[in-house]
Amino acid sequence: MIATGAENVLPNQRVDIVEFTGSVLTDQWGMTEACANASQCRNFLYHEDFELGVIERVEESRADGIMQGKLLCTGFGTPEFPLIRYDVGDIGLWSAQGECKCGLESPVLAGILGRIDDYVVTPEGTRIMRFDYIFKHTPNVRECQVVQDSVGEIRLRVVRRDDYSNADEHMLREEIRRWISPSLAVQFEYVSEIQREANGKFRAVKSLI
Ligand SMILES: [Zn+2]
């Protein structure tokens, strides 16, 4: 079994992974703030993991028999910093009946909107969506957004901490050469802040091509 998370699995990605590995693919929905989680059952619907928190559905609207609305999350796992009715910024989909025939009785979500990230295209033609591992050893980077303006090149928009130096820039170039592409050109743009989107978060990867 393969468990995926963090971004929506697109239908073509699901088909490719299942065909290539011969495994069952089950997707998870959760968040770094750890105040809610939902896991796909054998029918590929998301069941709330109610041991971890409560998911409320608000501002509902209905289209074609499918309900959709904001998800407010109240978690049980972080008593040091409780998040109560936390608006995580994702939109949930559920059926009006809300049941699943798999036998589990926990509340069901049919899907999650709003977890589709951009990707960078390398000169080798590969598509890279996640860059977080590049920043594991660069604590002097407060925030970074990866922007692609043209094929063959990326721009790192970096908010620096006080101790940031050329060594950090060098390390980032090396990590990208090693893990992403040996021939991708990397530009640095130093900014005081990264613009937030409507949901209050910034997009880690932004493609303009
Ligand atoms: Zn189910």
Side-chain angles (χ1 to χ4, degrees):
M1 190 174 81
I2 291 179
T4 52
E7 292 144 24
N8 283 341
V9 184
L10 302 177
N12 61 309
Q13 294 171 331
R14 175 180 287 279
V15 167
D16 285 350
I17 292 169
V18 169
E19 276 188 2
F20 186 78
T21 62
S23 303
V24 172
L25 190 152
T26 176
D27 192 47
Q28 300 271 319
W29 173 75
M31 75 265 338
T32 308
E33 297 90 336
C35 51
N37 207 78
S39 308
Q40 277 186 337
C41 68
R42 67 183 66 203
N43 291 340
F44 303 106
L45 295 173
Y46 296 86
H47 284 259
E48 283 187 32
D49 296 315
F50 53 82
E51 303 89 338
L52 191 75
V54 175
I55 303 171
E56 290 175 75
R57 302 144 166 84
V58 297
E59 296 181 15
E60 297 176 11
S61 62
R62 187 182 182 122
D64 301 332
I66 297 289
M67 309 293 289
Q68 73 172 54
K70 278 185 175 185
L71 302 175
L72 299 187
C73 304
T74 299
F76 307 142
T78 56
E80 308 83 359
F81 196 107
L83 291 167
I84 299 167
R85 311 196 76 216
Y86 173 70
D87 181 0
V88 70
D90 289 339
I91 301 293
L93 302 175
W94 60 93
S95 73
Q97 294 80 18
E99 301 152 357
C100 181
K101 294 186 170 58
C102 72
L104 298 174
E105 295 179 15
S106 45
V108 171
L109 292 168
I112 312 288
L113 302 178
R115 285 290 179 94
I116 297 176
D117 284 350
D118 283 354
Y119 55 80
V120 158
V121 184
T122 68
E124 293 77 21
T126 51
R127 299 174 177 189
I128 311 288
M129 292 180 80
R130 306 294 293 187
F131 286 79
D132 49 302
Y133 45 94
I134 301 301
F135 299 98
K136 294 289 187 214
H137 305 293
T138 54
N140 295 326
V141 174
R142 180 186 292 277
E143 295 175 347
C144 181
Q145 183 179 51
V146 179
V147 183
Q148 186 162 39
D149 303 287
S150 59
V151 176
E153 183 177 292
I154 58 170
R155 177 158 52 97
L156 300 188
R157 309 189 77 215
V158 176
V159 179
R160 292 169 285 190
R161 287 207 165 90
D162 289 344
D163 291 336
Y164 188 95
S165 70
N166 285 341
D168 294 289
E169 192 175 304
H170 179 74
M171 181 180 288
L172 287 171
R173 285 187 193 281
E174 284 303 308
E175 292 286 278
I176 288 168
R177 200 189 323 275
R178 182 175 177 201
W179 297 109
I180 307 291
S181 161
S183 56
L184 184 66
V186 181
Q187 312 294 336
F188 285 81
E189 178 189 359
Y190 293 107
V191 295
S192 56
E193 62 179 337
I194 293 171
Q195 189 190 350
R196 264 54 180 169
E197 307 287 331
N199 65 358
K201 301 180 176 183
F202 72 82
R203 285 158 64 188
V205 177
K206 200 162 185 172
S207 174
L208 303 176
I209 60 175

